[in-house]
Short mmCIF file of all heavy atoms in Angstrom, two decimals:
data_model
loop_
_atom_site.label_atom_id
_atom_site.label_comp_id
_atom_site.label_asym_id
_atom_site.label_seq_id
_atom_site.Cartn_x
_atom_site.Cartn_y
_atom_site.Cartn_z
N THR A 93 29.28 -0.01 4.68
CA THR A 93 28.56 0.21 3.43
C THR A 93 27.12 -0.24 3.63
O THR A 93 26.87 -1.36 4.06
CB THR A 93 29.20 -0.60 2.29
OG1 THR A 93 30.58 -0.24 2.18
CG2 THR A 93 28.51 -0.33 0.97
N LEU A 94 26.20 0.64 3.29
CA LEU A 94 24.78 0.33 3.37
C LEU A 94 24.28 0.09 1.95
O LEU A 94 24.24 1.00 1.14
CB LEU A 94 24.02 1.48 4.03
CG LEU A 94 22.53 1.26 4.28
CD1 LEU A 94 22.32 0.10 5.25
CD2 LEU A 94 21.91 2.52 4.84
N TYR A 95 23.93 -1.18 1.66
CA TYR A 95 23.42 -1.53 0.33
C TYR A 95 21.90 -1.29 0.30
O TYR A 95 21.17 -1.76 1.17
CB TYR A 95 23.71 -2.99 -0.01
CG TYR A 95 22.92 -3.44 -1.21
CD1 TYR A 95 23.25 -3.02 -2.49
CD2 TYR A 95 21.80 -4.25 -1.05
CE1 TYR A 95 22.50 -3.39 -3.59
CE2 TYR A 95 21.04 -4.63 -2.14
CZ TYR A 95 21.39 -4.19 -3.41
OH TYR A 95 20.62 -4.55 -4.48
N VAL A 96 21.45 -0.56 -0.73
CA VAL A 96 20.02 -0.26 -0.90
C VAL A 96 19.61 -0.64 -2.32
O VAL A 96 20.14 -0.10 -3.29
CB VAL A 96 19.72 1.24 -0.66
CG1 VAL A 96 18.23 1.52 -0.77
CG2 VAL A 96 20.28 1.68 0.69
N PRO A 97 18.66 -1.57 -2.46
CA PRO A 97 18.18 -1.94 -3.79
C PRO A 97 17.28 -0.86 -4.37
O PRO A 97 16.86 0.06 -3.64
CB PRO A 97 17.39 -3.22 -3.53
CG PRO A 97 16.84 -3.03 -2.16
CD PRO A 97 17.92 -2.29 -1.41
N PRO A 98 16.94 -0.95 -5.65
CA PRO A 98 15.98 0.00 -6.23
C PRO A 98 14.58 -0.19 -5.62
O PRO A 98 14.32 -1.19 -4.95
CB PRO A 98 15.97 -0.34 -7.72
CG PRO A 98 16.80 -1.54 -7.91
CD PRO A 98 17.43 -1.92 -6.61
N LYS A 99 13.72 0.78 -5.90
CA LYS A 99 12.30 0.73 -5.53
C LYS A 99 12.06 0.82 -4.02
O LYS A 99 11.22 0.14 -3.47
CB LYS A 99 11.63 -0.51 -6.12
CG LYS A 99 11.71 -0.52 -7.64
CD LYS A 99 11.03 -1.70 -8.24
CE LYS A 99 11.18 -1.63 -9.75
NZ LYS A 99 10.70 -2.77 -10.44
N VAL A 100 12.85 1.69 -3.38
CA VAL A 100 12.70 1.96 -1.96
C VAL A 100 12.72 3.48 -1.78
O VAL A 100 13.62 4.16 -2.27
CB VAL A 100 13.86 1.34 -1.13
CG1 VAL A 100 13.76 1.74 0.33
CG2 VAL A 100 13.89 -0.17 -1.27
N TRP A 101 11.72 4.02 -1.10
CA TRP A 101 11.71 5.45 -0.77
C TRP A 101 12.69 5.69 0.38
O TRP A 101 12.80 4.86 1.28
CB TRP A 101 10.32 5.89 -0.33
CG TRP A 101 9.37 6.03 -1.47
CD1 TRP A 101 8.43 5.13 -1.87
CD2 TRP A 101 9.25 7.14 -2.35
NE1 TRP A 101 7.74 5.60 -2.96
CE2 TRP A 101 8.23 6.84 -3.27
CE3 TRP A 101 9.90 8.37 -2.47
CZ2 TRP A 101 7.84 7.72 -4.29
CZ3 TRP A 101 9.53 9.24 -3.47
CH2 TRP A 101 8.51 8.91 -4.37
N PHE A 102 13.40 6.82 0.35
CA PHE A 102 14.33 7.10 1.44
C PHE A 102 14.56 8.60 1.62
O PHE A 102 14.35 9.40 0.71
CB PHE A 102 15.67 6.38 1.22
CG PHE A 102 16.51 6.96 0.12
CD1 PHE A 102 17.55 7.82 0.40
CD2 PHE A 102 16.26 6.63 -1.19
CE1 PHE A 102 18.33 8.35 -0.63
CE2 PHE A 102 17.02 7.14 -2.22
CZ PHE A 102 18.06 8.01 -1.93
N SER A 103 14.99 8.91 2.82
CA SER A 103 15.45 10.26 3.15
C SER A 103 16.59 10.09 4.15
O SER A 103 16.79 9.00 4.69
CB SER A 103 14.33 11.11 3.75
OG SER A 103 13.95 10.61 5.00
N PHE A 104 17.34 11.16 4.37
CA PHE A 104 18.41 11.08 5.35
C PHE A 104 18.62 12.44 5.99
O PHE A 104 18.30 13.48 5.42
CB PHE A 104 19.71 10.52 4.75
CG PHE A 104 20.17 11.17 3.48
CD1 PHE A 104 21.17 12.14 3.49
CD2 PHE A 104 19.64 10.79 2.25
CE1 PHE A 104 21.62 12.71 2.31
CE2 PHE A 104 20.08 11.36 1.07
CZ PHE A 104 21.07 12.33 1.10
N LYS A 105 19.12 12.39 7.24
CA LYS A 105 19.29 13.61 8.03
C LYS A 105 20.64 13.60 8.72
O LYS A 105 21.06 12.58 9.28
CB LYS A 105 18.19 13.71 9.07
CG LYS A 105 18.28 14.96 9.91
CD LYS A 105 17.13 15.08 10.89
CE LYS A 105 17.23 16.41 11.63
NZ LYS A 105 16.07 16.65 12.48
N ASN A 106 21.30 14.75 8.70
CA ASN A 106 22.53 14.93 9.46
C ASN A 106 22.14 15.09 10.93
O ASN A 106 21.45 16.03 11.28
CB ASN A 106 23.28 16.16 8.97
CG ASN A 106 24.57 16.40 9.73
OD1 ASN A 106 24.93 15.65 10.63
ND2 ASN A 106 25.26 17.46 9.38
N ILE A 107 22.57 14.17 11.76
CA ILE A 107 22.25 14.26 13.18
C ILE A 107 23.46 14.69 14.01
O ILE A 107 23.43 14.64 15.23
CB ILE A 107 21.64 12.95 13.71
CG1 ILE A 107 22.55 11.77 13.44
CG2 ILE A 107 20.26 12.72 13.09
CD1 ILE A 107 22.07 10.47 14.08
N ASN A 108 24.52 15.13 13.32
CA ASN A 108 25.68 15.69 14.01
C ASN A 108 25.37 17.15 14.32
O ASN A 108 25.12 17.94 13.43
CB ASN A 108 26.92 15.57 13.11
CG ASN A 108 28.18 15.95 13.84
OD1 ASN A 108 28.23 16.97 14.50
ND2 ASN A 108 29.18 15.12 13.70
N LYS A 109 25.37 17.50 15.58
CA LYS A 109 24.96 18.85 16.00
C LYS A 109 26.05 19.90 15.79
O LYS A 109 25.78 21.09 15.87
CB LYS A 109 24.53 18.83 17.46
CG LYS A 109 23.26 18.03 17.68
CD LYS A 109 22.88 17.99 19.13
CE LYS A 109 21.60 17.30 19.45
NZ LYS A 109 21.18 16.18 18.73
N LYS A 110 27.29 19.47 15.53
CA LYS A 110 28.39 20.42 15.46
C LYS A 110 28.93 20.68 14.06
O LYS A 110 29.55 21.71 13.82
CB LYS A 110 29.53 19.96 16.35
CG LYS A 110 29.15 19.94 17.81
CD LYS A 110 30.32 19.55 18.67
CE LYS A 110 29.89 19.56 20.13
NZ LYS A 110 30.98 19.24 21.02
N LYS A 111 28.73 19.73 13.14
CA LYS A 111 29.34 19.92 11.82
C LYS A 111 28.50 19.27 10.72
O LYS A 111 27.60 18.47 10.99
CB LYS A 111 30.77 19.37 11.79
CG LYS A 111 30.86 17.86 12.00
CD LYS A 111 32.31 17.40 11.95
CE LYS A 111 32.41 15.90 12.12
NZ LYS A 111 33.78 15.41 12.04
N ASP A 112 28.81 19.61 9.48
CA ASP A 112 28.17 19.01 8.33
C ASP A 112 28.64 17.56 8.20
O ASP A 112 29.71 17.19 8.68
CB ASP A 112 28.52 19.78 7.05
CG ASP A 112 27.99 21.20 7.05
OD1 ASP A 112 27.19 21.55 7.94
OD2 ASP A 112 28.38 21.97 6.15
N SER A 113 27.84 16.74 7.53
CA SER A 113 28.19 15.33 7.30
C SER A 113 28.30 15.09 5.80
O SER A 113 27.68 15.77 4.99
CB SER A 113 27.11 14.41 7.89
OG SER A 113 27.10 14.48 9.29
N LEU A 114 29.08 14.08 5.45
CA LEU A 114 29.33 13.74 4.06
C LEU A 114 28.81 12.33 3.78
O LEU A 114 29.17 11.38 4.48
CB LEU A 114 30.83 13.80 3.76
CG LEU A 114 31.25 13.54 2.32
CD1 LEU A 114 30.73 14.62 1.39
CD2 LEU A 114 32.77 13.45 2.23
N VAL A 115 27.96 12.22 2.75
CA VAL A 115 27.41 10.93 2.33
C VAL A 115 28.04 10.57 0.98
O VAL A 115 28.12 11.40 0.08
CB VAL A 115 25.87 10.98 2.19
CG1 VAL A 115 25.32 9.68 1.64
CG2 VAL A 115 25.23 11.31 3.53
N LEU A 116 28.45 9.32 0.85
CA LEU A 116 29.02 8.79 -0.38
C LEU A 116 28.04 7.80 -0.97
O LEU A 116 27.50 6.96 -0.25
CB LEU A 116 30.35 8.09 -0.05
CG LEU A 116 30.93 7.11 -1.06
CD1 LEU A 116 31.33 7.83 -2.34
CD2 LEU A 116 32.12 6.39 -0.48
N ASN A 117 27.78 7.88 -2.27
CA ASN A 117 26.96 6.90 -2.97
C ASN A 117 27.75 6.32 -4.14
O ASN A 117 28.18 7.04 -5.03
CB ASN A 117 25.66 7.52 -3.49
CG ASN A 117 24.78 6.49 -4.20
OD1 ASN A 117 24.98 5.29 -4.08
ND2 ASN A 117 23.80 6.96 -4.93
N PHE A 118 27.92 5.01 -4.12
CA PHE A 118 28.53 4.25 -5.22
C PHE A 118 27.37 3.50 -5.86
O PHE A 118 26.80 2.59 -5.25
CB PHE A 118 29.56 3.28 -4.65
CG PHE A 118 30.25 2.42 -5.67
CD1 PHE A 118 31.56 2.68 -6.02
CD2 PHE A 118 29.61 1.34 -6.26
CE1 PHE A 118 32.23 1.87 -6.94
CE2 PHE A 118 30.26 0.53 -7.18
CZ PHE A 118 31.57 0.80 -7.52
N SER A 119 26.98 3.89 -7.06
CA SER A 119 25.80 3.30 -7.69
C SER A 119 26.15 2.49 -8.94
O SER A 119 27.21 2.65 -9.52
CB SER A 119 24.78 4.38 -8.03
OG SER A 119 25.29 5.24 -9.02
N ASN A 120 25.20 1.67 -9.34
CA ASN A 120 25.41 0.79 -10.50
C ASN A 120 25.12 1.47 -11.83
O ASN A 120 25.47 0.95 -12.88
CB ASN A 120 24.55 -0.47 -10.38
CG ASN A 120 23.06 -0.16 -10.48
OD1 ASN A 120 22.59 0.82 -9.92
ND2 ASN A 120 22.33 -1.00 -11.19
N ILE A 121 24.44 2.62 -11.80
CA ILE A 121 24.13 3.35 -13.04
C ILE A 121 24.41 4.83 -12.82
O ILE A 121 24.51 5.30 -11.69
CB ILE A 121 22.64 3.17 -13.47
CG1 ILE A 121 21.70 3.70 -12.39
CG2 ILE A 121 22.34 1.72 -13.81
CD1 ILE A 121 20.23 3.72 -12.79
N ILE A 122 24.51 5.55 -13.91
CA ILE A 122 24.67 7.01 -13.85
C ILE A 122 23.31 7.62 -13.57
O ILE A 122 22.30 7.21 -14.14
CB ILE A 122 25.26 7.54 -15.17
CG1 ILE A 122 26.68 6.97 -15.36
CG2 ILE A 122 25.27 9.06 -15.20
CD1 ILE A 122 27.28 7.27 -16.71
N HIS A 123 23.30 8.60 -12.68
CA HIS A 123 22.03 9.24 -12.30
C HIS A 123 21.36 9.88 -13.50
O HIS A 123 22.00 10.57 -14.29
CB HIS A 123 22.29 10.30 -11.22
CG HIS A 123 21.03 10.93 -10.73
ND1 HIS A 123 20.52 12.07 -11.28
CD2 HIS A 123 20.18 10.57 -9.75
CE1 HIS A 123 19.40 12.39 -10.66
NE2 HIS A 123 19.17 11.50 -9.72
N GLU A 124 20.07 9.63 -13.66
CA GLU A 124 19.24 10.25 -14.70
C GLU A 124 17.99 10.78 -14.03
O GLU A 124 17.41 10.09 -13.18
CB GLU A 124 18.81 9.21 -15.74
CG GLU A 124 19.90 8.43 -16.40
CD GLU A 124 19.34 7.22 -17.15
OE1 GLU A 124 18.13 7.14 -17.39
OE2 GLU A 124 20.15 6.35 -17.49
N LYS A 125 17.54 11.96 -14.40
CA LYS A 125 16.34 12.54 -13.78
C LYS A 125 15.12 11.64 -13.93
O LYS A 125 14.33 11.49 -13.01
CB LYS A 125 16.04 13.92 -14.35
CG LYS A 125 16.97 14.98 -13.83
CD LYS A 125 16.54 16.35 -14.29
CE LYS A 125 17.50 17.39 -13.75
NZ LYS A 125 17.10 18.73 -14.04
N LYS A 126 14.95 11.01 -15.09
CA LYS A 126 13.77 10.17 -15.35
C LYS A 126 13.80 8.86 -14.56
O LYS A 126 12.79 8.20 -14.44
CB LYS A 126 13.66 9.87 -16.84
CG LYS A 126 13.36 11.08 -17.68
CD LYS A 126 13.30 10.72 -19.14
CE LYS A 126 13.05 11.96 -20.00
NZ LYS A 126 13.06 11.65 -21.43
N GLU A 127 14.95 8.50 -14.03
CA GLU A 127 15.10 7.24 -13.31
C GLU A 127 14.62 7.34 -11.86
O GLU A 127 14.36 6.33 -11.21
CB GLU A 127 16.58 6.82 -13.35
CG GLU A 127 16.90 5.48 -12.76
CD GLU A 127 17.12 5.51 -11.25
OE1 GLU A 127 17.57 6.55 -10.72
OE2 GLU A 127 16.83 4.50 -10.60
N SER A 128 14.51 8.55 -11.34
CA SER A 128 14.12 8.71 -9.94
C SER A 128 12.87 9.57 -9.80
O SER A 128 12.51 10.33 -10.70
CB SER A 128 15.26 9.32 -9.13
OG SER A 128 15.57 10.61 -9.62
N ILE A 129 12.22 9.43 -8.64
CA ILE A 129 11.04 10.23 -8.30
C ILE A 129 11.34 10.94 -6.99
O ILE A 129 11.88 10.33 -6.06
CB ILE A 129 9.80 9.32 -8.12
CG1 ILE A 129 9.53 8.51 -9.39
CG2 ILE A 129 8.58 10.16 -7.73
CD1 ILE A 129 8.51 7.39 -9.18
N ASN A 130 10.99 12.20 -6.91
CA ASN A 130 11.17 12.98 -5.68
C ASN A 130 9.82 13.41 -5.15
O ASN A 130 8.92 13.72 -5.93
CB ASN A 130 12.02 14.23 -5.95
CG ASN A 130 13.43 13.88 -6.33
OD1 ASN A 130 14.17 13.34 -5.54
ND2 ASN A 130 13.79 14.20 -7.56
N LYS A 131 9.69 13.43 -3.83
CA LYS A 131 8.49 13.95 -3.17
C LYS A 131 8.92 14.89 -2.06
O LYS A 131 10.06 14.85 -1.60
CB LYS A 131 7.65 12.81 -2.59
CG LYS A 131 6.99 11.97 -3.66
CD LYS A 131 5.90 11.11 -3.09
CE LYS A 131 5.26 10.32 -4.22
NZ LYS A 131 3.94 9.86 -3.91
N ASP A 132 7.99 15.70 -1.61
CA ASP A 132 8.26 16.65 -0.54
C ASP A 132 8.47 15.91 0.78
O ASP A 132 7.71 15.01 1.11
CB ASP A 132 7.08 17.62 -0.42
CG ASP A 132 7.40 18.83 0.42
OD1 ASP A 132 8.05 18.67 1.48
OD2 ASP A 132 6.99 19.94 0.03
N LEU A 133 9.50 16.31 1.52
CA LEU A 133 9.78 15.69 2.81
C LEU A 133 8.63 15.82 3.80
O LEU A 133 8.52 15.04 4.74
CB LEU A 133 11.04 16.31 3.42
CG LEU A 133 12.37 15.72 2.98
CD1 LEU A 133 13.51 16.60 3.41
CD2 LEU A 133 12.54 14.33 3.50
N LYS A 134 7.76 16.79 3.59
CA LYS A 134 6.62 16.99 4.49
C LYS A 134 5.70 15.77 4.50
O LYS A 134 4.94 15.57 5.45
CB LYS A 134 5.83 18.24 4.08
CG LYS A 134 6.60 19.51 4.31
CD LYS A 134 5.81 20.72 3.83
CE LYS A 134 6.67 21.96 3.91
NZ LYS A 134 6.03 23.10 3.27
#
Side-chain angles (χ1 to χ4, degrees):
T93 304
L94 184 62
Y95 166 74
V96 183
K99 300 182 180 173
V100 175
W101 285 99
F102 72 99
S103 67
F104 50 99
K105 181 177 184 174
N106 180 1
I107 55 173
N108 188 312
K109 293 178 176 35
K110 296 183 179 182
K111 64 180 182 178
D112 296 350
S113 292
L114 183 65
V115 175
L116 162 65
N117 182 15
F118 179 106
S119 65
N120 67 318
I121 61 174
I122 296 172
H123 184 268
E124 305 167 14
K125 285 187 180 185
K126 293 178 182 177
E127 185 275 331
S128 62
I129 302 168
N130 294 295
K131 290 195 179 202
D132 194 318
L133 275 167
K134 292 177 187 172

